[in-house]
Amino acid sequence: EAQVTQNPRYLITVTGKKLTVTCSQNMNHEYMSWYRQDPGLGLRQIYYSMNVEVTDKGDVPEGYKVSRKEKRNFPLILESPSPNQTSLYFCASRPGGIVETQYFGPGTRLLVL
Amino acid sequence: GDSVTQMEGPVTLSEEAFLTINCTYTATGYPSLFWYVQYPGEGLQLLLKATKADDKGSNKGFEATYRKETTSFHLEKGSVQVSDSAVYFCALTHTGRRALTFGSGTRLQVQP
């Protein structure tokens, strides 16, 4: 089954404690992205990757890091989380060229205390 | 920059009622327009799209028409079901862009 998986699904942490949210896709897609979803703001892109070792900033990259060492994986790293990073995070992947045909993961709900 | 404005929710309807969720946009040129749906506990799924003025996108009984003159892309369904309860997002992009611009989402609750 074609899918995007994220782990963990729910996470409560404290300010400053480094965390990583994993994302994996089994569709051999070139493009992967991370979004955050906040009430009243819709989804905003944090980072995206066009292929292995190729990443770039989205609209709200501050406080986040990513890496793309393998085609299937695209982890999101919060080196020093802060309460304003409390949000619902989605990973997405797509084949090259058609931005709207994105496959979204189920989401990770993060609470930073 | 581009922006998408959706009607505030939640929208609460009875089963078999007519649905309209308003979406207007601000963008240069001729963007492509989309509706995504997010069911509880799941990621977003593309529901329908329209890529040029006067196009009508349709899927699963939902329809939306790209109106350039009113910069709108309202979502409609003639008879909603309980299973349509979800959050609906309007979005746009331009050819060659790397990301979509999303509206804030509208929650639909359909009661039996």
Side-chain angles (χ1 to χ4, degrees):
Chain A
E1 179 190 355
Q3 61 181 353
V4 178
T5 57
Q6 295 179 228
N7 283 292
R9 296 289 312 276
Y10 303 92
L11 180 60
I12 301 174
T13 190
V14 295
T15 299
K17 186 176 181 181
K18 180 179 179 180
L19 67 91
T20 299
V21 183
T22 64
C23 172
S24 182
Q25 50 96 2
N26 63 0
M27 295 166 281
N28 202 37
H29 286 166
E30 290 85 9
Y31 284 72
M32 298 185 74
S33 297
W34 276 103
Y35 292 84
R36 60 178 289 173
Q37 181 181 1
D38 301 294
L41 296 176
L43 275 73
R44 295 176 292 169
Q45 191 182 55
I46 303 170
Y47 267 95
Y48 73 99
S49 169
M50 292 177 286
N51 216 321
V52 174
E53 303 291 1
V54 182
T55 63
D56 205 352
K57 297 176 181 179
D59 296 321
V60 287
E62 294 78 20
Y64 304 95
K65 287 177 58 176
V66 293
S67 68
R68 187 94 181 271
K69 299 189 185 307
E70 304 167 284
K71 197 171 187 178
R72 64 183 293 122
N73 296 324
F74 190 45
L76 179 69
I77 303 158
L78 285 71
E79 297 251 345
S80 183
S82 62
N84 64 11
Q85 294 178 296
T86 292
S87 187
L88 179 58
Y89 292 87
F90 288 99
C91 181
S93 75
R94 63 179 174 94
I98 306 175
V99 67
E100 70 267 22
T101 47
Q102 299 199 63
Y103 293 77
F104 284 83
T108 295
R109 188 167 293 280
L110 172 65
L111 173 61
V112 183
L113 300 173
Chain B
D2 297 342
S3 67
V4 177
T5 302
Q6 292 182 232
M7 61 189 292
E8 292 279 336
V11 174
T12 303
L13 296 173
S14 298
E15 209 165 21
E16 300 184 1
F18 185 86
L19 168 70
T20 299
I21 299 178
N22 291 338
C23 170
T24 57
Y25 68 90
T26 301
T28 57
Y30 295 87
S32 296
L33 303 174
F34 311 92
W35 278 101
Y36 281 79
V37 58
Q38 182 182 28
Y39 297 105
E42 299 182 11
L44 280 71
Q45 304 171 26
L46 179 62
L47 179 61
L48 55 84
K49 68 177 182 180
T51 57
K52 61 182 187 294
D54 300 324
D55 266 3
K56 177 184 285 187
S58 62
N59 186 25
K60 299 181 180 180
F62 291 89
E63 294 183 339
T65 301
Y66 189 144
R67 301 287 188 198
K68 179 66 176 173
E69 63 277 12
T70 54
T71 62
S72 64
F73 192 55
H74 304 322
L75 182 68
E76 296 181 336
K77 187 175 186 183
S79 176
V80 294
Q81 306 300 312
V82 172
S83 57
D84 294 326
S85 298
V87 180
Y88 292 82
F89 290 90
C90 186
L92 68 81
T93 194
H94 296 272
T95 302
R97 276 202 64 198
R98 64 190 187 209
L100 294 148
T101 299
F102 286 91
S104 57
T106 302
R107 182 176 300 278
L108 170 65
Q109 296 174 315
V110 181
Q111 298 174 336

Coordinates of all heavy atoms in Angstrom, one line a residue, chain A residues 9 35 37 40-43 45 48 56-58 88 90 94 99-100 102 104-106, chain B residues 34 36 38 41-46 49 87 89 93 97-100 102-105:
Chain A
R9 N 3.1 9.9 16.5 CA 1.9 10.6 16.1 C 1.6 11.7 17.1 O 0.9 12.7 16.8 CB 0.7 9.6 16.1 CG 0.9 8.5 15.0 CD 0.7 9.2 13.6 NE -0.5 10.0 13.6 CZ -1.8 9.5 13.4 NH1 -2.0 8.2 13.2 NH2 -2.8 10.3 13.3
Y35 N 5.1 20.3 6.5 CA 4.2 21.4 6.7 C 3.8 21.5 8.2 O 3.8 20.5 8.9 CB 2.9 21.2 6.0 CG 3.0 21.3 4.5 CD1 3.4 20.2 3.7 CD2 2.7 22.5 3.8 CE1 3.4 20.3 2.3 CE2 2.7 22.6 2.4 CZ 3.1 21.4 1.7 OH 3.2 21.5 0.3
Q37 N 0.5 22.9 10.6 CA -0.9 23.3 10.5 C -1.3 24.0 11.8 O -1.3 23.3 12.8 CB -1.9 22.1 10.2 CG -3.3 22.5 10.1 CD -4.2 21.3 9.8 OE1 -3.8 20.2 9.7 NE2 -5.5 21.6 9.6
G40 N -6.6 28.6 12.0 CA -6.8 29.9 11.3 C -5.7 30.2 10.3 O -5.8 31.2 9.6
L41 N -4.7 29.4 10.1 CA -3.6 29.7 9.2 C -3.4 28.6 8.1 O -2.6 28.8 7.2 CB -2.3 29.8 10.0 CG -2.2 30.9 11.0 CD1 -0.8 30.8 11.8 CD2 -2.3 32.3 10.3
G42 N -4.2 27.6 8.2 CA -4.0 26.5 7.2 C -2.7 25.8 7.3 O -2.1 25.7 8.4
L43 N -2.2 25.3 6.2 CA -0.9 24.6 6.2 C 0.2 25.5 5.6 O 0.0 26.2 4.6 CB -0.9 23.4 5.3 CG -1.5 22.1 6.0 CD1 -3.0 22.2 6.2 CD2 -1.1 20.9 5.1
Q45 N 4.4 25.6 4.5 CA 5.5 24.7 4.3 C 6.7 25.1 5.1 O 7.1 26.3 5.1 CB 5.8 24.7 2.8 CG 6.8 23.7 2.3 CD 7.2 23.8 0.9 OE1 7.6 24.8 0.4 NE2 7.0 22.7 0.1
Y48 N 11.4 21.7 2.2 CA 11.1 20.7 1.2 C 12.4 20.1 0.6 O 13.5 20.7 0.8 CB 10.2 21.2 0.1 CG 10.9 22.2 -0.9 CD1 11.4 21.8 -2.1 CD2 11.1 23.5 -0.5 CE1 12.0 22.6 -3.0 CE2 11.7 24.4 -1.4 CZ 12.2 23.9 -2.6 OH 12.8 24.8 -3.5
D56 N 15.6 22.6 0.7 CA 15.5 24.1 0.7 C 14.4 24.6 1.7 O 13.5 23.8 2.0 CB 15.2 24.6 -0.7 CG 15.7 26.0 -0.9 OD1 16.1 26.7 0.1 OD2 15.6 26.5 -2.1
K57 N 14.5 25.8 2.0 CA 13.6 26.4 3.0 C 12.2 26.6 2.3 O 12.1 27.0 1.2 CB 14.1 27.7 3.5 CG 15.4 27.6 4.3 CD 15.9 28.9 4.7 CE 17.2 28.8 5.5 NZ 17.8 30.1 5.9
G58 N 11.2 26.4 3.2 CA 9.8 26.8 2.8 C 9.5 28.2 3.3 O 10.4 29.0 3.4
L88 N 0.5 21.0 14.6 CA 0.3 19.7 14.0 C 1.1 19.7 12.7 O 1.0 20.6 11.9 CB -1.2 19.6 13.6 CG -1.7 18.3 12.9 CD1 -1.3 17.1 13.7 CD2 -3.2 18.4 12.6
F90 N 2.7 17.8 9.3 CA 2.5 16.9 8.2 C 3.7 16.7 7.3 O 4.2 17.7 6.9 CB 1.3 17.3 7.4 CG -0.1 17.1 8.1 CD1 -0.7 18.2 8.6 CD2 -0.7 15.9 8.1 CE1 -1.9 18.1 9.3 CE2 -1.9 15.7 8.8 CZ -2.5 16.8 9.4
R94 N 5.7 13.5 -3.2 CA 5.0 13.6 -4.5 C 6.1 13.2 -5.5 O 7.2 13.4 -5.3 CB 4.4 14.9 -4.8 CG 5.5 16.1 -4.9 CD 4.8 17.4 -5.2 NE 5.7 18.5 -5.2 CZ 6.3 19.0 -6.2 NH1 6.2 18.4 -7.4 NH2 7.1 20.1 -6.1
V99 N 2.8 19.5 -8.3 CA 2.8 19.9 -6.9 C 1.5 19.5 -6.2 O 1.5 19.2 -5.0 CB 3.1 21.4 -6.7 CG1 1.9 22.2 -7.2 CG2 3.4 21.7 -5.3
E100 N 0.4 19.4 -6.9 CA -0.9 19.2 -6.2 C -1.1 17.7 -5.8 O -1.9 17.4 -4.9 CB -2.1 19.7 -7.0 CG -2.4 18.9 -8.2 CD -1.7 19.4 -9.4 OE1 -0.7 20.2 -9.3 OE2 -2.2 19.1 -10.5
Q102 N 0.1 15.6 -3.9 CA 0.9 15.2 -2.8 C 0.2 14.2 -2.0 O -1.0 14.2 -1.8 CB 1.2 16.5 -1.9 CG 1.9 17.6 -2.6 CD 2.6 18.6 -1.7 OE1 3.5 18.2 -0.9 NE2 2.1 19.8 -1.8
F104 N -0.1 12.9 1.8 CA 0.2 13.4 3.1 C 0.3 12.2 4.1 O -0.5 11.3 4.0 CB -0.8 14.4 3.5 CG -0.7 15.7 2.9 CD1 -1.2 16.0 1.6 CD2 -0.1 16.7 3.6 CE1 -1.1 17.2 1.0 CE2 0.1 18.0 3.0 CZ -0.4 18.2 1.7
G105 N 1.2 12.4 5.1 CA 1.2 11.5 6.2 C 0.0 11.8 7.2 O -0.7 12.8 7.0
P106 N -0.2 11.0 8.2 CA -1.3 11.2 9.1 C -1.2 12.3 10.1 O -2.1 12.7 10.8 CB -1.4 9.8 9.9 CG 0.0 9.4 9.9 CD 0.6 9.8 8.5
Chain B
F34 N -7.5 24.3 -6.1 CA -7.7 23.0 -5.6 C -8.6 23.0 -4.3 O -8.6 24.0 -3.6 CB -6.4 22.3 -5.2 CG -5.3 22.4 -6.2 CD1 -4.4 23.5 -6.2 CD2 -5.2 21.5 -7.2 CE1 -3.5 23.6 -7.2 CE2 -4.3 21.6 -8.2 CZ -3.4 22.7 -8.2
Y36 N -8.8 20.4 -1.0 CA -8.3 19.2 -0.3 C -9.3 18.9 0.8 O -9.9 19.8 1.4 CB -6.9 19.4 0.3 CG -5.8 19.3 -0.7 CD1 -5.5 20.4 -1.6 CD2 -5.0 18.2 -0.7 CE1 -4.5 20.3 -2.4 CE2 -4.0 18.1 -1.6 CZ -3.7 19.1 -2.5 OH -2.7 19.0 -3.4
Q38 N -9.6 16.7 4.6 CA -8.9 16.1 5.7 C -9.9 15.4 6.6 O -10.6 16.1 7.4 CB -8.1 17.1 6.5 CG -7.2 16.5 7.6 CD -6.5 17.6 8.3 OE1 -6.9 18.8 8.4 NE2 -5.3 17.3 8.9
G41 N -8.2 12.5 11.9 CA -7.0 11.6 12.1 C -6.2 11.3 10.9 O -5.2 10.5 11.0
E42 N -6.5 11.9 9.8 CA -5.7 11.6 8.6 C -5.1 12.8 8.0 O -5.4 13.9 8.4 CB -6.7 11.0 7.5 CG -7.3 9.7 8.0 CD -8.2 9.1 6.9 OE1 -8.2 9.5 5.8 OE2 -9.0 8.1 7.3
G43 N -4.2 12.6 7.0 CA -3.6 13.7 6.3 C -4.6 14.2 5.2 O -5.6 13.6 5.0
L44 N -4.1 15.2 4.5 CA -5.0 15.8 3.4 C -5.0 14.9 2.2 O -4.0 14.3 1.9 CB -4.5 17.2 3.1 CG -4.8 18.4 4.0 CD1 -4.1 18.3 5.3 CD2 -4.5 19.7 3.3
Q45 N -6.1 15.0 1.5 CA -6.2 14.3 0.2 C -6.8 15.3 -0.8 O -7.7 16.0 -0.5 CB -7.2 13.1 0.3 CG -6.9 12.1 1.4 CD -8.1 11.1 1.5 OE1 -8.8 10.8 0.6 NE2 -8.2 10.5 2.7
L46 N -6.3 15.2 -2.0 CA -6.8 16.0 -3.1 C -8.2 15.6 -3.4 O -8.5 14.4 -3.7 CB -5.9 15.9 -4.3 CG -6.3 16.8 -5.5 CD1 -6.3 18.2 -5.2 CD2 -5.4 16.5 -6.7
K49 N -9.8 19.7 -8.6 CA -8.9 20.8 -9.0 C -9.5 21.4 -10.3 O -10.3 20.8 -11.1 CB -7.5 20.3 -9.3 CG -7.3 19.4 -10.5 CD -5.9 19.0 -10.6 CE -5.6 18.1 -11.9 NZ -4.2 17.8 -12.0
V87 N -12.5 18.3 7.4 CA -12.1 19.7 7.2 C -11.7 19.9 5.7 O -11.0 19.0 5.2 CB -10.9 20.1 8.1 CG1 -10.4 21.5 7.9 CG2 -11.2 19.9 9.6
F89 N -10.0 22.2 2.7 CA -9.0 23.3 2.5 C -9.1 23.7 1.0 O -9.0 22.8 0.1 CB -7.6 22.8 2.8 CG -7.3 22.6 4.2 CD1 -7.6 21.4 4.8 CD2 -6.9 23.6 5.0 CE1 -7.3 21.2 6.2 CE2 -6.6 23.5 6.4 CZ -6.8 22.2 6.9
T93 N -1.8 27.2 -6.6 CA -0.4 27.3 -6.9 C -0.3 27.8 -8.3 O -1.3 27.8 -9.1 CB 0.2 25.9 -6.7 OG1 1.7 26.0 -6.8 CG2 -0.2 24.9 -7.9
R97 N 5.8 26.4 -9.3 CA 6.0 26.7 -7.9 C 6.2 25.4 -7.2 O 5.8 24.3 -7.6 CB 4.9 27.5 -7.3 CG 4.9 28.9 -7.5 CD 4.1 29.7 -6.5 NE 4.6 29.5 -5.2 CZ 3.9 29.7 -4.1 NH1 2.7 30.1 -4.2 NH2 4.4 29.5 -2.9
R98 N 6.9 25.5 -6.0 CA 7.2 24.3 -5.3 C 6.2 24.0 -4.2 O 6.3 22.9 -3.6 CB 8.6 24.5 -4.6 CG 8.6 25.6 -3.6 CD 9.9 26.0 -3.1 NE 9.8 27.0 -2.0 CZ 10.7 27.9 -1.8 NH1 11.8 28.0 -2.5 NH2 10.6 28.7 -0.8
A99 N 5.3 24.9 -3.9 CA 4.4 24.6 -2.8 C 3.0 25.2 -3.2 O 2.8 26.0 -4.1 CB 4.9 25.3 -1.6
L100 N 2.0 24.7 -2.4 CA 0.7 25.2 -2.4 C 0.5 26.3 -1.4 O 1.1 26.3 -0.3 CB -0.3 24.1 -2.2 CG -0.4 23.0 -3.2 CD1 -0.7 21.6 -2.5 CD2 -1.4 23.3 -4.2
F102 N -2.4 27.5 1.1 CA -3.6 27.0 1.6 C -4.5 28.0 2.3 O -3.9 29.0 2.9 CB -3.3 25.9 2.6 CG -2.9 24.6 2.1 CD1 -1.5 24.3 1.9 CD2 -3.8 23.6 1.7 CE1 -1.1 23.1 1.4 CE2 -3.4 22.4 1.2 CZ -2.0 22.1 1.0
G103 N -5.8 27.9 2.2 CA -6.7 28.6 3.1 C -6.6 28.0 4.5 O -5.9 27.0 4.8
S104 N -7.4 28.6 5.4 CA -7.3 28.2 6.8 C -8.2 27.0 7.1 O -8.1 26.4 8.2 CB -7.8 29.4 7.7 OG -9.1 29.8 7.3
G105 N -8.9 26.5 6.2 CA -9.7 25.3 6.4 C -11.1 25.6 6.9 O -11.3 26.5 7.7

